[in-house]
Amino acid sequence: MNRSIEEVILAEPRGFCAGVDRAIEIVERALAKFGAPIYVRHEIVHNTYVVNQLKSKGAIFIEELSDVPPGATLVFSAHGVSKAVQQEARDRGFDIFDATCPLVTKVHVEVAKLAKEGYEFIMIGHKGHPEVEGTMGQLSSGIHLVEDVEDVATVSPAQTEKLAVVTQTTLSVDDAAEIAAAVRARFPKVREPKQQDICYATQNRQDAVKIMSPQVDLVIVVGSPTSSNSNRLRELAERLGTESYMVDSADELKPEWFEGKGRIGLTAGASAPEVLVREVIERVRAFGAVSVRKMDGIEETIKFPLPKGLKLDDIPPPGHIS
Ligand code: 2E4
Ligand code: SF4
């Protein structure tokens, strides 16, 4: 006889991080203060539900600054932008609010500082991801992307005396460590960040999946297909030997995934709101789950300040997404 679903185990922590909370609040406050439309360069965070909610409140998401009318208010997404995009936005005279996560900005600042000292960079990250474009675009040259260990063998900096490693904030912690080790083996003098550029939220969500995966028969990750950190959670569970699927909403859950599965692990990427997690729980209950249990885990208390100009009116706008 088929085993039926016994319980849902919720990963801790999961879902929104401080950078995502801040980025969404910047758009909501800009809408409340200046009125619609507010233009946002790129999806504010990689989540379909969040983007649709903000669209319904009057946000317009664009990729090219030429699609923003003169005099508009423009928000940069949490992933950050290149120097060229910053400059173009200033030249076009927009009223700019920067929702780049402060932990991404920290990497940008480090790149600029070391470049002044004559460093070249090896960036570990995923080609084409907006954060990688933003970080690499802090410099006009001297920053080389490696996506995997194979790339390390062929990367060709102009010199190796002053070489530093930087990474995307949302990588697999284990993959990044392996690639960094290959960089170190090829360039022994390479300078590495004191603390990894991979952020606390990425680290904590991956740690929780590492603890959870062996305890469950299936891991469901709530996150959008474009979300790097959410993809890494699904991939990690699968690597640990637990079947895993990522869903953008409860509607994507397939009953056959749950056949013969007793314990279901549930987590969410840093850009996925808790409301979607609750909808997934309801759906899994309808499939027969009897109980829901929270895992023990780290409590995250970090909060980033809002940019100047949006700090006033301290009452959060109505209907804050959470
Ligand atoms: C900025 C930096 O980078 P990823 O694709 O994981 O972004 P997402 O929007 O899913 O998550 C928020 C975020 C934003 C993470 N790091
Ligand atoms: Fe910032 Fe990390 Fe959240 Fe990205 S995942 S927005 S770097 S806190």
Side-chain angles (χ1 to χ4, degrees), residues 21-22 24-33 57 303 306 310-322:
D21 254 333
R22 174 178 179 270
I24 294 171
E25 195 157 354
I26 287 173
V27 180
E28 287 179 328
R29 283 185 179 232
L31 282 163
K33 189 163 175 181
K57 294 179 182 177
K303 209 169 160 21
L306 290 164
L310 292 177
K311 281 187 187 165
L312 301 173
D313 329 311
D314 251 338
I315 310 151
H320 183 62
I321 303 167
S322 61

Side-chain angles (χ1 to χ4, degrees), residues 8-322:
V8 177
I9 301 178
L10 287 172
E12 281 290 328
R14 66 178 178 281
F16 279 9
C17 61
V20 166
D21 254 333
R22 174 178 179 270
I24 294 171
E25 195 157 354
I26 287 173
V27 180
E28 287 179 328
R29 283 185 179 232
L31 282 163
K33 189 163 175 181
F34 306 108
I38 295 293
Y39 286 79
V40 184
R41 186 190 175 278
H42 195 71
E43 293 191 336
I44 186 72
V45 297
H46 291 143
N47 187 269
T48 313
Y49 177 91
V50 169
V51 166
N52 286 339
Q53 285 288 110
L54 293 175
K55 273 186 190 165
S56 73
K57 294 179 182 177
I60 298 178
F61 294 88
I62 50 93
E63 295 296 326
E64 299 300 331
L65 298 190
S66 54
D67 292 333
V68 184
T73 299
L74 174 69
V75 177
F76 293 144
S77 82
H79 316 93
V81 295
S82 65
K83 286 277 184 226
V85 170
Q86 258 170 6
Q87 190 56 49
E88 185 186 345
R90 276 199 294 267
D91 291 346
R92 288 180 180 269
F94 303 134
D95 206 1
I96 302 166
F97 290 98
D98 189 357
T100 304
C101 176
L103 298 181
V104 174
T105 303
K106 189 175 148 228
V107 179
H108 292 185
V109 169
E110 183 73 359
V111 165
K113 188 186 120 210
L114 291 178
K116 274 207 185 108
E117 295 173 25
Y119 275 86
E120 259 185 78
F121 299 87
I122 292 181
M123 171 151 203
I124 306 175
H126 300 290
K127 194 173 181 180
H129 189 282
E131 184 185 327
V132 170
E133 288 177 351
T135 300
M136 293 190 69
Q138 295 305 300
L139 301 178
S140 52
S141 64
I143 184 158
H144 313 270
L145 182 65
V146 297
E147 293 194 89
D148 49 33
V149 169
E150 285 75 56
D151 285 350
V152 177
T154 53
V155 70
S156 50
Q159 48 81 30
T160 57
E161 283 304 301
K162 283 191 161 186
L163 200 56
V165 173
V166 287
T167 80
Q168 195 177 333
T169 55
T170 52
L171 299 178
S172 148
V173 173
D174 298 335
D175 285 355
E178 197 185 327
I179 300 166
V183 172
R184 221 176 296 127
R186 180 157 175 226
F187 307 109
K189 287 187 180 166
V190 74
R191 176 179 172 139
E192 292 182 71
K194 273 188 223 91
Q195 246 188 322
Q196 275 223 350
D197 295 325
I198 293 176
C199 78
Y200 80 94
T202 300
Q203 173 81 252
N204 290 347
R205 280 151 193 70
Q206 289 180 19
D207 286 349
V209 166
K210 279 188 184 170
I211 296 168
M212 183 174 74
S213 289
Q215 302 177 32
V216 297
D217 305 304
L218 173 71
V219 169
I220 300 293
V221 178
V222 182
S224 290
T226 45
S227 169
S228 166
N229 77 86
S230 307
N231 277 291
R232 300 294 82 77
L233 297 177
R234 195 209 62 77
E235 187 182 271
L236 176 58
E238 198 85 51
R239 281 182 189 181
L240 293 166
T242 311
E243 199 177 318
S244 180
Y245 300 96
M246 191 172 76
V247 292
D248 217 355
S249 73
D251 290 341
E252 292 183 356
L253 294 169
K254 294 204 167 65
E256 57 266 31
W257 296 343
F258 298 85
E259 276 167 24
K261 308 287 193 318
R263 286 183 167 166
I264 313 299
L266 178 56
T267 186
S271 46
E274 188 63 13
V275 59
L276 299 182
V277 173
R278 284 198 295 269
E279 285 172 12
V280 167
I281 293 171
E282 286 321 304
R283 196 63 62 95
V284 182
R285 275 193 203 278
F287 292 155
V290 265
S291 65
V292 179
R293 177 165 64 88
K294 258 192 196 176
M295 255 175 51
D296 287 337
I298 288 174
E299 195 194 335
E300 294 174 341
T301 52
I302 183 165
K303 209 169 160 21
F304 297 128
L306 290 164
K308 266 192 242 120
L310 292 177
K311 281 187 187 165
L312 301 173
D313 329 311
D314 251 338
I315 310 151
H320 183 62
I321 303 167
S322 61

